[in-house]
Amino acid sequence: MLRLAITLPDGSSVERTFLKGPVTVGRAEDVTLSLKDLSLSRRHALFETGPHGWTVQDLGSRNGTFVNGHRLTAPQALRMGDALQLGQVRIQVLECGAPAEVSDREIGETTLLKPVAKVLKDSGVDALPVTAEASKETLHRYAERLSLLAKVHEALASQVTEEGLLTLVLDQIFDQLHPDQAAIFLKGEDGSFACAASRCQKDCYDKLLLSRSLVREVVDKKAAALVVDAFTDARFQQAMSLRAVGVRSILAVPLLTEDVALGLLVCASRLAVRSFTQEDLEFVVPLASVAAMRLRNLRLALEAAEKKRLEQELALARRIQVGLFREEIPQLPGYAILGGNVPSRVVSGDFYQLLSSDNGCTALVADVSGKGIGAALLAASLEALFAGPLHLNLPPSEVCNRVSQLFYARTDASKFATAFLAQLDAASGVVTYCNAGHCPAVLVTAQGEVKALTSTGPPLGMFADQQYSQEQVALQPGDTLVLYSDGVTETTDAHGDEFGLERFSELLRSYRTLPLEDLWEQVEQELSTYSQSPTPGDDRTLVFIRRETKPA
């Protein structure tokens, strides 16, 4: 932990605490500690944690960084009480404990290993462990302890960040127990324990190394431990006696909530300074229980807030995407036309357009890379790029040429889009199309023949001056042209196998005589059955254009 007292040139002061590095100081907006003073450079100095504690280095600032009056020319280790000068800003180091860590060395002599539930009962938190005949002194001691725990509980409940909570827990530990060192280890997703916060007294620079076997004892057995640990740090063997440094009293308590260990709280002191007692244990265990409960609640609140944020983002992205769909479907004599989108759990960049033209209609299905609100916004941008060329009734290849060039200029190299653009001449039934790296459209003839309309160029926005070609196909009476997004053919079953173009083509061929609304329903039913899920994993966009059979 690094705790700094900062005094600005106008005399105002503030304290800041950092549980971990790196911490960049300067007047820029994007640094860790931004101070609005012109004597500072934009990125003035850097505080970092290393294996032996915190260091500070100057980042080539204009006015320099000074430690105890000496200008820095290289990184320097910090000590509690150091006075720093950054430009005209003065900083006092209030705390700079070396980071604690879990090591592989063996556990020391355990003098007490007691289940947390038993400690809570003995401490009077669960029930008063004394009888009516107990002395006034005993009753007074328990009353004071419960009063203190109530105040601690109230103080912890006021914290709205994990960092603030851990800092306050260490405050209480040092106020009540006065240890040499204390640290809070939190359990990661991989099951390992990492130091999330630590603190030490001014005259204690030894790193707090915690035995891995002690961690297992405390966490697995859900027990609090009082340990006499005879570890000696080689750096201090020559300078200080074994009793002064090597032999330590250690108190370790799990952070338990609903029988699950979120981490553990550890206190350590040289025996020459103090030895922890049963009464200390009975204070720390309830404190750890309250801290664990509050930590769990903070995490649940963060999860709920994140879930709400994602839901709001999803709803916004969906509104953007739906706004790209044209509700009015062109009405052409002799043709049946249908288009729609089935939303998934995550918003994709799918969109489609069905537009009337002087001699027929235009159909467009596009899909931008990515998911979520970013993809929805990119799809909206792509739709706007298409609007102008489509309004001019340009040929599909020319439309794609212009859109691709603009899309390339306005997005980074990782962004691209696929599109299938088709223009139908109603009188002749001729469809002129351009496929920019999109899924092959499927043409199903009245006789049951199937043809895939494959790519005529790469995805939009991949190359600066890409030129697209176009092809033509004629719709005869009874023929159906199907445009779709990859959410259709890439629907997967329980084994991860895709539905695929071949299966999709056979489905369209088998039900080619159904009215388009019924064909749509059949496709959706088949995909839901295949995936065994009513909600698709990706958006499904479908556009059908059928030339009606001539009346007899």
Side-chain angles (χ1 to χ4, degrees):
M1 175 184 291
L2 177 66
R3 189 158 66 97
L4 305 175
I6 304 159
T7 304
L8 298 175
D10 62 5
S12 61
S13 61
V14 65
E15 283 192 14
R16 291 292 304 274
T17 300
F18 304 95
L19 299 181
K20 57 185 178 180
V23 176
T24 310
V25 183
R27 56 183 175 84
E29 294 286 348
D30 60 345
V31 298
T32 315
L33 179 57
S34 181
L35 301 172
K36 303 305 179 185
D37 186 81
L38 294 178
S39 68
L40 295 176
S41 296
R42 290 180 57 79
R43 302 176 68 83
H44 197 106
L46 174 67
F47 295 89
E48 286 191 294
T49 49
H52 304 302
W54 287 86
T55 62
V56 61
Q57 65 176 344
D58 187 75
L59 296 178
S61 66
R62 182 178 66 257
N63 293 323
T65 299
F66 296 80
V67 177
N68 300 324
H70 300 285
R71 184 164 187 159
L72 291 183
T73 57
Q76 179 172 319
L78 287 175
R79 289 288 181 260
M80 202 175 304
D82 282 348
L84 282 69
Q85 186 84 24
L86 282 66
Q88 297 181 29
V89 176
R90 290 179 287 117
I91 298 178
Q92 187 82 17
V93 179
L94 302 179
E95 292 183 35
C96 58
E101 65 180 50
V102 176
S103 73
D104 289 320
R105 51 189 197 81
E106 290 301 313
I107 190 173
E109 177 188 352
T110 302
T111 58
L112 177 66
L113 189 66
K114 197 170 184 179
V116 166
K118 183 71 166 58
V119 178
L120 289 173
K121 182 178 180 180
D122 292 345
S123 68
V125 173
D126 287 347
L128 190 64
V130 293
T131 64
E133 290 75 23
S135 67
K136 289 184 178 180
E137 182 179 340
T138 300
L139 290 172
H140 182 67
R141 186 173 71 253
Y142 279 114
E144 283 186 336
R145 179 181 298 156
L146 292 177
S147 176
L148 176 60
L149 288 172
K151 292 178 181 178
V152 170
H153 196 302
E154 182 179 358
L156 293 181
S158 68
Q159 295 302 311
V160 295
T161 66
E162 187 170 304
E163 179 179 330
L165 175 68
L166 301 183
T167 299
L168 186 55
V169 170
L170 292 179
D171 287 343
Q172 296 296 329
I173 290 294
F174 274 80
D175 287 346
Q176 300 300 321
L177 303 187
H178 310 291
D180 278 340
Q181 300 163 292
I184 299 172
F185 294 83
L186 296 182
K187 189 175 184 180
E189 293 182 358
D190 61 354
S192 64
F193 289 83
C195 181
S198 63
R199 188 178 298 179
C200 66
Q201 297 286 5
K202 184 174 182 178
D203 59 348
C204 181
Y205 299 114
D206 193 13
K207 178 189 292 186
L208 176 55
L209 293 174
L210 188 62
S211 165
R212 203 176 303 277
S213 56
L214 175 59
V215 173
R216 288 195 298 268
E217 287 278 304
V218 170
V219 172
D220 294 347
K221 295 182 179 179
K222 300 177 178 62
L226 280 175
V227 178
V228 174
D229 181 36
F231 171 70
T232 305
D233 190 320
R235 293 174 297 162
F236 294 89
Q237 284 182 356
Q238 304 302 318
M240 307 179 74
S241 69
L242 176 65
R243 179 168 179 77
V245 176
V247 181
R248 298 182 302 169
S249 176
I250 295 179
L251 188 156
V253 177
L255 299 171
L256 289 177
T257 172
E258 296 182 352
D259 218 29
V260 175
L262 303 180
L264 69 159
L265 170 61
V266 182
C267 304
S269 279
R270 294 159 290 180
L271 287 181
V273 178
R274 69 160 298 167
S275 179
F276 296 115
T277 66
Q278 169 76 16
E279 188 169 343
D280 295 331
L281 198 67
E282 292 178 359
F283 167 74
V284 175
V285 168
L287 171 63
S289 296
V290 173
M293 179 182 65
R294 182 59 183 161
L295 180 61
R296 182 201 62 181
N297 291 342
L298 280 175
R299 289 179 173 179
L300 289 175
L302 286 174
E303 289 176 6
E306 178 64 12
K307 181 180 178 182
K308 183 177 181 180
R309 186 191 67 79
L310 290 175
E311 288 174 349
Q312 291 173 339
E313 180 179 300
L314 182 63
L316 174 59
R318 179 63 64 192
R319 288 196 298 271
I320 294 171
Q321 186 183 33
V322 171
L324 304 179
F325 303 147
R326 298 294 180 93
E327 295 183 1
E328 294 184 3
I329 294 177
Q331 301 298 314
L332 292 180
Y335 290 87
I337 301 174
L338 180 65
N341 172 273
V342 178
S344 64
R345 291 181 294 272
V346 293
V347 176
S348 70
D350 289 11
F351 75 92
Y352 74 93
Q353 301 238 304
L354 286 166
L355 307 171
S356 296
S357 62
D358 293 339
N359 57 354
C361 74
T362 298
L364 169 67
V365 173
D367 186 6
V368 303
S369 57
K371 303 290 182 185
I373 192 167
L377 291 171
L378 198 59
S381 175
L382 183 64
E383 189 272 343
L385 296 180
F386 267 107
L390 289 178
H391 180 72
L392 296 174
N393 290 320
L394 297 175
S397 59
E398 181 60 27
V399 171
C400 289
N401 290 343
R402 295 192 181 193
V403 171
S404 182
Q405 291 171 11
L406 291 171
F407 200 61
Y408 178 88
R410 297 186 181 190
T411 59
D412 60 51
S414 64
K415 302 301 182 182
F416 61 89
T418 65
F420 194 102
L421 177 61
Q423 292 178 349
L424 168 66
D425 180 78
S428 64
V430 172
V431 175
T432 304
Y433 68 90
C434 180
N435 184 343
H438 198 71
C439 311
V442 178
L443 173 62
V444 183
T445 69
Q447 293 75 33
E449 297 177 1
V450 176
K451 180 179 181 180
L453 309 185
T454 57
S455 176
T456 61
L460 303 170
M462 291 197 71
F463 305 104
D465 298 310
Q466 178 63 43
Q467 298 296 303
Y468 290 85
S469 61
Q470 61 187 34
E471 303 287 343
Q472 287 187 333
V473 66
L475 293 184
Q476 303 299 329
D479 292 356
T480 303
L481 178 64
V482 183
L483 282 58
Y484 58 96
S485 65
D486 58 9
V488 174
T489 52
E490 293 181 4
T491 296
T492 57
D493 62 10
H495 304 290
D497 296 326
E498 293 184 352
F499 194 76
L501 177 59
E502 183 177 350
R503 189 180 279 109
F504 181 51
S505 298
E506 179 58 28
L507 172 63
L508 295 174
R509 189 194 68 79
S510 298
Y511 296 99
R512 65 186 182 278
T513 59
L514 289 179
L516 293 187
E517 291 79 3
D518 295 340
L519 179 56
W520 175 287
E521 292 297 331
Q522 190 63 43
V523 169
E524 280 304 311
Q525 181 179 329
E526 292 284 344
L527 292 175
S528 296
T529 300
Y530 185 80
S531 65
Q532 298 181 350
S533 173
T535 305
D538 193 3
D539 280 12
R540 298 172 187 159
T541 300
L542 284 163
V543 170
F544 298 91
I545 301 176
R546 174 180 292 167
R547 189 171 188 180
E548 301 285 15
T549 304
K550 290 182 178 179

